Each structure stands twice: as structure tokens, then as C-alpha cells.
């Protein structure tokens, strides 16, 4: 179950985030706005800008899965130097490629694995708690904030852009 909740869902939402960034770029072009204005925008003065929200979304996905599977050292390193939509989309793609290398078998024992976060010295979370109470909420917070920054500035995105394709089935 943790595989589906993390790898599958992170990958899906990163696809949606990439599409939302495309809409942001199209909006900037159609309105003759410098796309950098969107990239450096934030919702509040003390909040990270769009670039950083995307970077953290990517980090949350790759490190969440890496920590749950006991492969924290395998996560790709990113230097946080992105400044363009194309660079952000490339980062998203690199994380999706990394996530694609995991299987359900990689998550054996993940629910009970002790996950240590470097900024909570001397503490750990069990994998199930890490996934449910930290990794997933943190990821969604940053993806939602990236979405909200673009929406706030007039980019025509809606809930279905955020959710993406939903695998409905006929009754």
C-alpha cells in the first residue's frame, strides 16, 4: 500500500505539477508577462516562491520514497539552481525517472522501518507514520502552494488540473 500511496501518487502529482507549469508559461506568453515574475512569485512575504515550491515538491517525493525503502543515499542530488520553467520541468522529470525505478517489493518492511529526519535529532518515525503524517502532507502542501501561486496570478488552472486524470470506471 505504501508503494501506491507514495511512488504512484507522487508520480501522478508531479505530472500534474508539470502540466500546471506549462499553463503558467502559456499564460505568461499570452499576456506578455515575463515568466520570471511568476517563477519568483509567492503568496506571502515569508513564504517560498514558485521555484522553491517546485524544488521542495520534488525533494519531498524522492526523499520520502528513498527513506521509506531504506535507500536514502540513492536519491538524486539537485543543487537547487533552477531558474526557468524548462529547468523545473527537467527536475520533475528526473524525480519521476527515479521513482520509476522502485517496485512494490522495495517497500517490504517499510511500515515498521525507522525513518530518521536529520533536523529532528535523536528522534525517528515509523515508516507508516512518516508516510501518513509527514511525507504525504508535506508533498501536497508544496504542490498545492505552487498551484495556488499560479492561480493567484491569474493562470487558468482549476481543481481538475491539480487532480489530473482520475481512473473512473463504469458502473
Amino acid at each position: 500500500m505504501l508503494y501506491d500511496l507514495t511512488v504512484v501518487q507522487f508520480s501522478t502529482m508531479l505530472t500534474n505539477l508539470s502540466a500546471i507549469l506549462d499553463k503558467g508559461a502559456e499564460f505568461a506568453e499570452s499576456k506578455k508577462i515575463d515568466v520570471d515574475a511568476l517563477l519568483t512569485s509567492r503568496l506571502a512575504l515569508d513564504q517560498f516562491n514558485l521555484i522553491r515550491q517546485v524544488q521542495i515538491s520534488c525533494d519531498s517525493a524522492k526523499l520520502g520514497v528513498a527513506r521509506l525503502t531504506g535507500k536514502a543515499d540513492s536519491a538524486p542530488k539537485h543543487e537547487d539552481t533552477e531558474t526557468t520553467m524548462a529547468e523545473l520541468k527537467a527536475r520533475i522529470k528526473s524525480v519521476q525517472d527515479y521513482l520509476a525505478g522502485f517496485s512494490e517489493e522495495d517497500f517490504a518492511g517499510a511500515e515498521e522501518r525507522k525513518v530518521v529526519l536529520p533536523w529532528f535529532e535523536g528522534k525517528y518515525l515509523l515508516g507508516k507514520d512518516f508516510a501518513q503524517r509527514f511525507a504525504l502532507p508535506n508533498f501536497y502542501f508544496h504542490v498545492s502552494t505552487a498551484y495556488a501561486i499560479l492561480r493567484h496570478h491569474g493562470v487558468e488552472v482549476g481543481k481538475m488540473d491539480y487532480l489530473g486524470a482520475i481512473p473512473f470506471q463504469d458502473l
Side-chain angles (χ1 to χ4, degrees):
M1 186 73 171
L2 284 180
Y3 172 84
D4 291 325
L5 287 173
T6 59
V7 172
V8 174
Q9 197 56 26
F10 289 157
S11 296
T12 298
M13 291 303 294
L14 288 172
T15 295
N16 301 348
L17 180 57
S18 185
I20 289 167
L21 292 178
D22 287 340
K23 285 193 171 192
E26 292 166 10
F27 171 82
E29 186 177 324
S30 73
K31 299 291 185 184
K32 308 289 189 244
I33 297 169
D34 184 357
V35 74
D36 289 344
L38 291 177
L39 292 169
T40 59
S41 291
R42 58 189 80 228
L43 291 177
L45 294 174
D46 65 344
Q47 194 173 45
F48 291 130
N49 65 25
L50 177 62
I51 290 172
R52 191 73 184 117
Q53 298 296 341
V54 173
Q55 291 168 337
I56 295 171
S57 296
C58 289
D59 290 349
S60 296
K62 72 182 181 186
L63 293 172
V65 169
R67 288 179 173 129
L68 281 168
T69 58
K71 300 178 180 182
D73 294 335
S74 74
K77 308 284 188 255
H78 295 99
E79 299 300 321
D80 297 338
T81 57
E82 295 85 8
T83 59
T84 67
M85 288 286 193
E87 290 170 345
L88 289 173
K89 288 177 59 71
R91 182 168 177 157
I92 290 170
K93 175 77 168 86
S94 76
V95 172
Q96 288 178 305
D97 290 346
Y98 172 70
L99 295 176
F102 287 89
S103 68
E104 289 185 43
E105 291 75 30
D106 291 316
F107 285 79
E111 287 193 5
E112 299 305 318
R113 179 170 282 115
K114 291 181 180 179
V115 176
V116 177
L117 300 171
W119 54 93
F120 289 110
E121 193 173 322
K123 298 181 184 293
Y124 70 88
L125 289 165
L126 291 178
K128 63 182 177 184
D129 295 323
F130 170 73
Q132 292 175 351
R133 311 234 3 226
F134 183 81
L136 288 162
N138 189 58
F139 174 78
Y140 284 120
F141 173 84
H142 291 287
V143 172
S144 296
T145 303
Y147 165 91
I149 289 169
L150 291 174
R151 183 71 185 100
H152 174 74
H153 289 289
V155 177
E156 292 185 22
V157 291
K159 187 185 292 186
M160 294 313 295
D161 295 297
Y162 177 82
L163 294 176
I166 298 174
F168 287 111
Q169 299 180 31
D170 293 331
L171 294 174

